[in-house]
Every structure is written in C-alpha cells, then in structure tokens.
Amino acid sequence: MSTPKKIPKKYQPKGFEILHDDLDIIVGNKSPGILTVAAKWERENTVHGLLNQFVRKGNPRSTKVVHVVHRLDQATSGVLVFAKTEEVMNKLKDNWKSFNKTYYAIVHGKLEKKSGTIQSYLSEDEDYVVHSSQDSDQGKLAITEYTVLKEIDKFSLLKINLLTGKKNQIRVHLSEQGHAIVGDTKYGRPQSPFKNLFLHSAELEINHPHSGKRISFKARVPAYFKNLIEFEY
C-alpha cells in the first residue's frame, strides 16, 4: 500500500486534522467542540459534513460521501476513522471489538486503586443522559480498563483501554467512581472553571480493511492537557 500524500494545510477541514487518507479510510484528530455527526441543533458544521465536502473536492455534482464507523462526544478530542465505502464501514464495524482504543483522561482527585476495570450496564434516557446499573436488564454491558499514570495535588491522569464503546461510557464510569473527568459539566461538576473536557482519544489500532495489516493511528493531545498535567503524552 503506497504512503498517502500529505494534505496541504489549506485543504484540511477545520476542526479535523487529517492523519491518514487512502482509498478505503480517512483518519484524523478531531478538535474538541465539533460534532462527529449532525444533531438536532447542528446539521452542517460536523466532521462528517466537512469530510463529505473534502472528498468531493469542490465538485458540486459529486455524490461521494464518507461513512461513519464510530463517534466521539462533541467535547472529546482525538482519533476518528471514517470509511469511504459502505462495505469498508461494515467490515470495520464487524471487527470493532478486536481493535485497541486508548484514551487519556484527567480526573478529579486520586483513585484508591491505581489500575482496575469498571463494568456496568448503561442506558440512555429521553434527555440524552446515560445511566449506569449493575442490573443486566437495565442497559448494555460497558467495560472500561484504566491505569493511573500520574497524580498531582487535586488531579490524576489516567490511561484508558476502552473494551466496549458505549455512548458517554468513560465519563459515566469515572463519575460513578467519584472521580469525574475534569471539565465534565454533564456527569461531573455543573459549574467548572475549565472550558474543555479532559478526555482524548489518543490511539486507535485497527486491521486495515484492504490489506488486513494491523495499523495504529496516534493523535496528539490538546495543549490544555499539558498545561494541567505535564507528561510525555
């Protein structure tokens, strides 16, 4: 597989730094604040919408589209992959559980157990709030593995291995441990002095849908992570 050409900065979609682009997939680093896909309150300015324009390369007659494989919350930054055909999308979705998804999170306080697994059943209510339960009838199984990498006075940096990918999973799991993610006004502290959510999709390791080769994509963390906790991310 040939190495994809570097995309000039002026063609990069705003809010999505393209890391890799080939015939099957397009991978990038999503900025915090931009939606992955359209929502009731925002139809146009989404990564999905921007990438549809990107693959059409200014041709108004083009019907080219990219296909959504997975999502990141609006406030979450990091690695996102899109498929260029429906076939590739289905292939990636079918194998999603076998891929490695690594996140960084900075949380309030210090965890008693420096590594562990959080497991519960998650369900979403009509207000789009996700609830956690130990009752298997109350939602879908969600499993989050974490390791504490560094602690400072009031905060801890965690590396997270996402074993299942449910909506708001990491945020809900850490919140119910009493260690909400810094800047999480939905599941943490409603009033936060931090403008950003300290949750970042740092690395995604997949099998390439065409070659089958295992490949890894890394997205650099936003500057505000380093400003809060210095670390070799």
Side-chain angles (χ1 to χ4, degrees), residues 6 20 34 126 129 131 137 142 157 181-182 187 207:
K6 189 105 176 95
H20 177 96
I34 188 167
E126 61 276 8
V129 176
H131 300 275
D137 294 334
L157 170 65
I181 295 176
V182 175
Y187 298 104
N207 289 89

Side-chain angles (χ1 to χ4, degrees), residues 165-182:
K166 302 289 178 276
K167 183 180 174 182
N168 295 171
Q169 173 181 325
I170 298 171
R171 295 164 68 179
V172 172
H173 273 171
L174 291 170
S175 176
E176 72 174 5
Q177 299 296 308
H179 298 283
I181 295 176
V182 175

Side-chain angles (χ1 to χ4, degrees), residues 151-193:
E151 295 174 332
I152 60 171
D153 188 25
K154 293 177 180 169
F155 306 107
S156 300
L157 170 65
L158 310 185
K159 188 176 187 180
I160 286 157
N161 180 17
L162 194 62
L163 296 176
T164 59
K166 302 289 178 276
K167 183 180 174 182
N168 295 171
Q169 173 181 325
I170 298 171
R171 295 164 68 179
V172 172
H173 273 171
L174 291 170
S175 176
E176 72 174 5
Q177 299 296 308
H179 298 283
I181 295 176
V182 175
D184 193 346
T185 53
K186 186 175 180 182
Y187 298 104
R189 303 175 182 188
Q191 301 298 320
S192 174

Side-chain angles (χ1 to χ4, degrees), residues 16-33:
F16 191 71
E17 179 200 356
I18 294 171
L19 304 170
H20 177 96
D21 182 15
D22 64 29
L23 291 171
D24 299 294
I25 56 174
I26 190 160
V27 186
N29 184 2
K30 182 181 98 63
S31 299

Side-chain angles (χ1 to χ4, degrees), residues 83-101:
K84 289 196 173 173
T85 66
E86 219 169 302
E87 187 190 356
V88 166
M89 174 190 76
N90 290 327
K91 200 168 186 181
L92 289 170
K93 281 187 168 183
D94 290 346
N95 293 291
W96 198 249
K97 282 183 181 164
S98 70
F99 301 157
N100 293 338
K101 283 91 59 184

Side-chain angles (χ1 to χ4, degrees), residues 112-141:
E112 204 175 313
K113 284 177 71 181
K114 302 308 172 195
S115 64
T117 303
I118 307 164
Q119 188 168 313
S120 72
Y121 298 89
L122 301 182
S123 61
E124 189 177 10
D125 67 21
E126 61 276 8
D127 295 321
Y128 307 109
V129 176
V130 175
H131 300 275
S132 176
S133 169
Q134 289 304 318
D135 181 351
S136 60
D137 294 334
Q138 297 296 315
K140 292 184 176 168
L141 181 64

Side-chain angles (χ1 to χ4, degrees), residues 188-208:
R189 303 175 182 188
Q191 301 298 320
S192 174
F194 296 96
K195 287 188 178 74
N196 294 104
L197 178 75
F198 284 73
L199 179 61
H200 177 74
S201 167
E203 187 173 0
L204 177 65
E205 190 181 274
I206 68 170
N207 289 89
H208 192 278

Side-chain angles (χ1 to χ4, degrees), residues 104 106 157 221 225-226 228-233:
Y104 286 123
I106 297 180
L157 170 65
V221 302
F225 268 77
K226 294 174 181 174
L228 187 56
I229 295 187
E230 264 190 53
F231 186 78
E232 287 292 321
Y233 291 95

